[in-house]
Amino acid sequence: MEEREFCGLKSFFLSSTASEWDDVSGVNCRKTTETRCDFTAAGLLQGFPRHFNVSLRVQAELGDRVSAWATVPWFQHYRNVTIGPPENMEVAPGEGSLIIRFSAPFDIDTSMVTFEYYVYYWEEAGTRKVKGPVKSNFISLDDLKPLRVYCLQVQAELVWSTQGISLPGNLSNTSCHKTTLDAATKLEQAILTFVGASLSVVLLVGACFFMILRYRGLIKYWFHSPPKIPLQIGEYLKDPAQPILETLDKDSSPKEDAWDSVSIISFPEKEQDARQSTLNQSAGPAQLSPERGH
């Protein structure tokens, strides 16, 4: 049977305050062919205490043969850990703001250490700004310009105040988001829209009135209704066989056939004087003719 080499990590640790090796609970790295093992336990109560300064040892096995122990250098979790970026990050655009939610890179004993967070943000092609430190995993970036695109990154920093240790973590990936309108901007936009619409209506009415005054003759010509065919002619065109005069007499209005009576009153005396005046005018030249002959 082929013999296989195993790396038997016996899961023991030695603290700086102890003289014996202790078993690491909650971590199983026995009889593995891998050349690595994750000693991060599922909870804070398992694994080695994270504030301890510990050392691990490794032993290899090959069949019945066992190697000597190889000791890993001293390690203190809260001092030597590599801190990744915050996890589960969500960004919600607000009214002239960006609301950021995230979770810690890993679990910590808050009675000993804390996480502080920084948000680096900038407007596209703008100057980079920072907000922090903030201990909450809920950060709101306020006083941003509405309807603008902002990019941001979040960073976690592990602070062990009793030891005077601050370990900055890695930055999150850059994400860009567009803000929405705030209430004041919405009101301002509504007022500007109303004023603009009112001015447009006034200008349009003024332009129409000016055009009417300037081109009223042409407009009157365009909108002048064409002459209508008289009703009698229309009836005749419908039935050309019908005599035109009878059609006109039939369709003529009674008011058009009405006649007004005229009375002449003569006065005898005035009529006689008028006749006498007429005779005198006629006889005048005849009487003067003999005298001109002499």
Side-chain angles (χ1 to χ4, degrees), residues 208-220:
C208 293
F209 184 73
F210 175 77
M211 295 295 291
I212 291 174
L213 292 179
R214 184 176 178 86
Y215 301 102
R216 59 180 179 273
L218 184 59
I219 295 174
K220 183 177 180 182

Side-chain angles (χ1 to χ4, degrees), residues 1-22:
M1 180 180 295
E2 180 182 1
E3 293 183 352
R4 300 179 62 187
E5 182 178 0
F6 293 93
C7 180
L9 302 180
K10 299 298 185 179
S11 303
F12 295 129
F13 75 92
L14 178 67
S15 68
S16 59
T17 59
S19 58
E20 297 181 356
W21 292 93
D22 295 326

Side-chain angles (χ1 to χ4, degrees), residues 22-34:
D22 295 326
D23 190 11
V24 180
S25 61
V27 178
N28 184 12
C29 290
R30 295 178 180 272
K31 301 295 182 179
T32 177
T33 59
E34 300 289 334

Side-chain angles (χ1 to χ4, degrees), residues 147-168:
L147 298 179
R148 299 292 181 89
V149 177
Y150 286 86
C151 299
L152 57 89
Q153 289 179 297
V154 183
Q155 182 186 40
E157 183 178 87
L158 183 66
V159 178
W160 193 357
S161 57
T162 59
Q163 300 293 323
I165 296 175
S166 297
L167 297 179

